[in-house]
Structures are given as C-alpha cells and as structure tokens.
Amino acid sequence: MPAVATGASPTRLLARPYWFRSLPAGADVHRLDEGLFAVTGNAAVQEALAHPEIVAEHPLKASARAFGPNVLDADGPSHRAFRALLAPILSAGRIAEYKRSLMPGLVRELVGSLTGVETDDFYNAFAHRVPYGIVCTILGIDVSLADRFHELTRPLARLLDYPTEETEETHANVAELLRLIEEQRAAGAVGGQSLLETIERTRDRKGILLTDSEVRSTALLFFLAGTETSSAFITSLVYCMGRGVFDLDELRDDRVRDDYVEEVLRLYPPVQTVVRFASADLTLRGVEVPRHSAVLTSIAGANRDPRVFDHPDRFQLGRSTKVSVPFAVGAHACPGAMLAKTEFSLLIEEIIERCSDVVITRDRLGMESQSFSRPTNFSVEFRAR
C-alpha cells in the first residue's frame, strides 16, 4: 500500500515503546518528517532488510566514526570479509565446545546467586553476568574485568539508536575498551586462543585485506552485540517466566524450551529497530524512497503483525514463529544467533533445576525501546526448590 505522510517527528516517535503502533493502520511504509521512512509490516520489514539497495553503510553514522570500518557498518565485499573473520568463533563446533566447557560454570554461578533472592534490578545487577563472562573469555579478557567492560560498554548503545547520541563519553569509552583489549592481548592470558588471535590468523590465512585496527573494531563490536543484546534478552526471558503463564516444569522438555525461547524472541526482540539507508532511488512496496533516505525497520512491528500472528501481543507457546525475525534477515542477520540461543537454553535449564518458581512481585509494565530492548520497572523473586 502507498506510504502515509504522517508528519511524525522521528525523535518523538521512536522514544515510545512499540512506536509502530502510533502509525496509521493500512500501510507498511510510512513517510516521516526529516525525509525518513518507517517500515512496519512483517513482509515489508523482511523485504527492506534483504533489499540490495537498502544498506548499512553511511558516511555520517556515529558508530562508523567511533569504531572505524567495522562489520556493523559495512556492506558488500567488505561486510563479507568482516563476517568471515567471525566465522571460526561462531561455528557449530566451537559453540558446542563453549557449551561443554565455558557456559555451564558461568550459568551455575549466576543462578546460584539468584536462588532465594527477590530483586527490583535484575537487568543491572544480574543479567549481564553470563554474556559478559562468555564474551570476555572468547575475547581473551580476564573475567575479573567483566564488570569494568560492562560499565564501559553500556553507554555505547547510544551510538546505535536513532537519533544517535554521540558524546565525549562514548568516544572515550571506545578508546578505553580498545586499550584494555590490547593490554589483555599483550598479556597473553589465554595462550593465543582469544578471538583476536583467531581472527587475525583467519585474516592472514585467507588473505583478507583488513587492517589490525579494523580487526580490533570488529572484536569490539562483537563484544557490544554479544553482551548487551543477550543481557536485554535474558531480562525478557526471566520476565516472561515470572508472569506465570505456564508451569516452569514444562520447560524440562527440550522442544518446549526451544519454543519458549522463540516466542520470547518474537515478543521481545532485543533490537526493536534497525536503521538502514537507501543507496539509490528505489521503490519499496510501491513507495518511492529517495537516495540517502534513512529507513527505520521495525523488528518489533514485524514480530507483532496481526496478519501473520493471531493475537500477536499474547504469549503463546507452540505457535509457529517461522517468519519471526528477532535476529533480522539478509546479509546483516545476526551471526551470533546460535551462540545466543545456546546460552539462553542452558540458563533456563539451570533455573528450573534450582528454582521452584519465578514470580513477578511488582510490575509497572515499563519497556526500554530500540537497541537492547527489554521490560523494565519490575521486581522478580526466584524461589528455591
């Protein structure tokens, strides 16, 4: 259907959780103020994310200025080269190794600290521990520095949101994180098995034309994406457990547990909005989109499209989630999806072993929007068996 000229301010619009609901029904592509376009329907979002002329790269992107050339902001051959560096780290065999040797101890430690506890700050106090432990280890960082990396990394989300909040702090944090990564690498704490050593060997073996600084930027973005998205989603997992829509013991079944993760991903994708740019004049769903226009694709809108999902706002185990797109689609689909799902499944297994129930004891129905999206303003109790 044709675009709707809403006259909506993108800044005010995207400040609202589930901003796609504020746009007129009956259209999937909406023209906003400031020459921006919003894409909201499931099929339209998938088309936009896979469109060869709707790209990630833009010379004025704050993330590109802060990190330099990197996997997040590149397209075409450069993007494929960056992803090739990460492939050995995220292979099925390597993830199976993490599942055996790395993840169980971190998961047990986290759940042990939660059992018998009621907290009103699960996200800040607990949710980051497993993902930061995993990524620190993969990156070759001493796990004792995880809290410091957490402190430095969280503000960098502002570089990925729209509108971007670029500050002296975000640039200083990038510089400090790169310094710490290089310092830890020089210390050789993991004997040449860190992500940096692995991707540098991959680069040299495959003859990939990327500089050392580009390799480090890719490692840092891996850290950001692999920790903050997982922290946000772990918060959503716990929130849905605590809403009491099913018995925890149902999750002992592998298939039910997988369905649970997929349904939480559909309802609470950790990235709600993906910003892309038109590299040429193009037509999307019959709508003319001029070159250089920003295209705001709503992952949350795609996953709650009532034409695709019956009762889309309802948590419903067993529904088909084949067209859910929590990790996006196309060339920039999240390369760490399998690693993340493995982490989430192990965490659920440990919670149901140690806890008789997870209960939301206070809920003000808050929601953090856009990047690293999650429920907020709730308290949760983990009752021991």
Side-chain angles (χ1 to χ4, degrees), residues 118-124 126 361-362 376-380:
E118 182 177 5
T119 176
D120 63 359
D121 195 21
F122 176 80
Y123 172 73
N124 288 310
F126 296 100
T361 55
R362 177 185 62 89
T376 61
N377 298 324
F378 69 91
S379 299
V380 58

Side-chain angles (χ1 to χ4, degrees), residues 109-131:
E109 183 178 354
L110 170 61
V111 177
S113 69
L114 286 171
T115 304
V117 168
E118 182 177 5
T119 176
D120 63 359
D121 195 21
F122 176 80
Y123 172 73
N124 288 310
F126 296 100
H128 67 284
R129 294 187 185 178
V130 170

Side-chain angles (χ1 to χ4, degrees), residues 237-245 260 358-361 380:
L237 279 177
V238 164
Y239 178 78
C240 287
M241 282 185 184
R243 291 295 297 271
V245 294
Y260 172 72
V358 176
V359 179
I360 297 295
T361 55
V380 58

Side-chain angles (χ1 to χ4, degrees), residues 146-329:
D147 286 343
R148 175 60 174 154
F149 270 75
H150 182 226
E151 175 189 353
L152 290 168
T153 301
R154 284 190 56 198
L156 301 186
R158 303 176 206 156
L159 294 169
L160 306 182
D161 280 343
Y162 184 90
T164 294
E165 186 179 342
E166 188 177 1
T167 66
E168 290 185 7
E169 180 192 28
T170 56
H171 286 274
N173 283 18
V174 169
E176 177 63 7
L177 283 164
L178 288 170
R179 186 193 70 78
L180 284 171
I181 289 170
E182 186 57 35
E183 181 180 89
Q184 289 287 295
R185 179 178 187 260
V190 292
Q193 297 302 310
S194 74
L195 181 145
L196 275 175
E197 275 79 8
T198 300
I199 62 179
E200 285 180 353
R201 284 195 297 270
T202 301
R203 175 195 61 181
D204 296 341
R205 187 175 66 252
K206 294 187 175 182
I208 297 172
L209 299 177
L210 294 174
T211 66
D212 287 351
S213 63
E214 289 169 339
V215 167
R216 282 153 182 73
S217 293
T218 291
L220 184 53
L221 277 168
F222 174 84
F223 200 107
L224 175 61
T227 53
E228 289 303 307
T229 52
S230 289
S231 299
F233 186 67
I234 286 169
T235 304
S236 299
L237 279 177
V238 164
Y239 178 78
C240 287
M241 282 185 184
R243 291 295 297 271
V245 294
F246 57 89
D247 191 303
L248 279 188
D249 282 335
E250 293 181 52
L251 296 176
R252 293 183 183 278
D253 184 294
D254 290 348
R255 186 173 61 182
V256 174
R257 191 164 59 250
D258 289 345
D259 285 348
Y260 172 72
V261 171
E262 294 295 344
E263 179 66 349
V264 181
L265 281 168
R266 183 191 69 81
L267 276 172
Y268 297 107
V271 176
Q272 286 211 356
T273 305
V274 175
V275 183
R276 295 284 185 264
F277 301 89
S279 63
D281 295 340
L282 58 93
T283 300
L284 183 64
R285 298 264 146 171
V287 175
E288 299 296 325
V289 179
R291 183 185 182 195
H292 298 316
S293 299
V295 179
L296 309 177
T297 57
S298 176
I299 299 293
N303 285 356
R304 295 191 185 220
D305 187 337
R307 294 164 296 183
V308 177
F309 302 103
D310 291 334
H311 306 292
D313 297 327
R314 180 185 300 171
F315 182 95
Q316 185 175 311
L317 272 178
R319 76 159 81 231
S320 174
T321 55
K322 288 182 180 178
V323 293
S324 174
V325 289
F327 294 107
V329 295

